[in-house]
Amino acid sequence: MSIDQKYLEHLFLSKYKGKNINLCRDTMEDFADTVIKVLFPALCNKVVADANELNKSFDHLEKLLNIIVDCLKNELHASCRNEAIIKEFFAALPELEMKMNKDAEFILSGDPAAKSIDEVVICYPGFYAICIYRLAHFFYGCKLPLFPRIIAEYAHRKTGIDIHPGASIQSPFFIDHGTGVVIGESTIIGKRVKIYQGVTLGAKSVRKELANTKRHPTIEDDCVIYANATILGGDTIIGKDSVIGGSMWVIESVPPLSRLFYKT
């Protein structure tokens, strides 16, 4: 096969020359997956004899994170240093793990089909997607470019659950079944919220220049949102203790203790 030389030159100049194409996506995905497996060893068959051996796993994570930050150097502010970002991540890890533990316990207590924490950790795609979201949200707060989105899309690819790392989701949180769930960038979700498959927490159509405004809904504490419900708009607030029935279309706020469903 012979490719036109002019096209090759165009492709090189437009996509390769002077471009940072070393974004190490595989390393980013490996890092995210390894963090979850270190925190929840039920996900892998690795036996760790003692804390010293466990420390080797954290050494490996530090090396991966160092590689990732190096990959992003061209995109980062000159004042950002690998050591500072790595130190901040490991300092935040105990709180991230605590939130993930609370998520797992909430799933176990809220789903009659779940028999153990190990079952939740191993079998529930919603739990895995929430864990990766919590990592991605931390790095989103560090203003690391691309990395949070890449690992969020990794979880999306594995679970069918699309959570933007910019969303603000308190713990505990439960996504049941999960396939087709979409949670937009400026969504705010309170504590003890449970959502089912196919739920969209999205934006109404807005202009590009409104990208930094709140475009996605707020879900207050203790709400339940059933399958395929769609809730849109940055001004839309679902009040505390509300239940949104399956396939509902919601574009206006509802007060606490609301019950929305279709009557036939």
Side-chain angles (χ1 to χ4, degrees), residues 14 65 72 154 168 178 227 253 263:
S14 62
L65 189 52
L72 297 169
Y154 175 60
S168 176
S253 295
K263 291 184 69 175

Side-chain angles (χ1 to χ4, degrees), residues 69 72-86 88 142-145:
V69 179
L72 297 169
K73 277 298 186 187
N74 289 346
E75 314 294 332
L76 287 171
H77 190 276
S79 64
C80 292
R81 298 178 60 84
N82 293 34
E83 298 83 358
I85 293 172
I86 292 168
E88 189 176 350
C142 294
K143 306 206 181 301
L144 280 179

Side-chain angles (χ1 to χ4, degrees), residues 6-258:
K6 288 185 178 179
Y7 174 70
L8 283 177
E9 290 174 0
H10 164 75
L11 188 62
F12 174 74
L13 291 172
S14 62
K15 298 289 180 66
Y16 290 85
K17 187 177 181 180
K19 305 288 185 179
N20 177 21
I21 58 172
N22 181 26
L23 292 174
C24 56
R25 188 184 80 167
D26 290 348
T27 304
M28 295 177 181
E29 294 176 354
D30 183 27
F31 173 84
D33 207 39
T34 301
V35 171
I36 306 307
K37 288 178 178 177
V38 167
L39 297 181
F40 297 97
L43 283 169
C44 57
N45 296 322
K46 185 177 180 181
V47 177
V48 177
D50 54 36
N52 288 330
E53 186 175 344
L54 182 59
N55 191 54
K56 294 177 183 178
S57 296
F58 286 99
D59 287 342
H60 177 60
L61 286 173
E62 182 175 347
K63 290 175 183 176
L64 290 178
L65 189 52
N66 197 61
I67 292 168
I68 290 164
V69 179
D70 275 342
C71 286
L72 297 169
K73 277 298 186 187
N74 289 346
E75 314 294 332
L76 287 171
H77 190 276
S79 64
C80 292
R81 298 178 60 84
N82 293 34
E83 298 83 358
I85 293 172
I86 292 168
K87 183 178 180 180
E88 189 176 350
F89 169 70
F90 284 115
L93 194 58
E95 183 178 358
L96 291 171
E97 188 220 355
M98 179 191 70
K99 290 179 179 180
M100 294 173 193
N101 288 338
K102 287 171 65 178
D103 295 327
E105 290 161 5
F106 184 53
I107 293 169
L108 177 62
S109 66
D111 187 358
K115 302 299 189 290
S116 68
I117 288 290
D118 280 350
E119 182 179 351
V120 170
V121 169
I122 296 168
C123 300
Y124 280 59
F127 175 71
Y128 184 85
I130 293 167
C131 288
I132 297 294
Y133 153 77
R134 298 211 180 279
L135 287 180
H137 183 69
F138 169 79
F139 289 111
Y140 183 90
C142 294
K143 306 206 181 301
L144 280 179
L146 280 178
F147 180 36
R149 287 301 306 272
I150 286 172
I151 61 176
E153 286 305 315
Y154 175 60
H156 184 193
R157 210 161 65 240
K158 290 189 72 168
T159 66
I161 298 167
D162 183 0
I163 309 176
H164 193 287
S168 176
I169 304 175
Q170 294 193 52
S171 180
F173 179 50
F174 181 9
I175 301 175
D176 201 358
H177 306 295
T179 305
V181 164
V182 177
I183 299 175
E185 179 180 20
S186 58
T187 303
I188 298 173
I189 298 177
K191 297 177 182 177
R192 298 174 300 277
V193 170
K194 180 177 182 179
I195 68 177
Y196 285 81
Q197 67 273 17
V199 166
T200 296
L201 305 179
K204 300 173 185 176
S205 180
V206 297
R207 299 186 304 276
K208 183 70 174 179
E209 55 266 30
L210 298 177
N212 293 323
T213 63
K214 188 177 187 311
R215 310 181 309 282
H216 305 91
T218 295
I219 314 298
E220 295 185 344
D221 296 349
D222 300 298
C223 289
V224 179
I225 306 172
Y226 283 99
N228 300 313
T230 297
I231 304 172
L232 304 179
D235 295 330
T236 302
I237 300 173
I238 305 301
K240 181 175 165 50
D241 281 304
S242 291
V243 176
I244 307 300
S247 299
M248 290 297 300
W249 175 270
V250 183
I251 57 173
E252 296 179 353
S253 295
V254 298
L257 300 171
S258 294

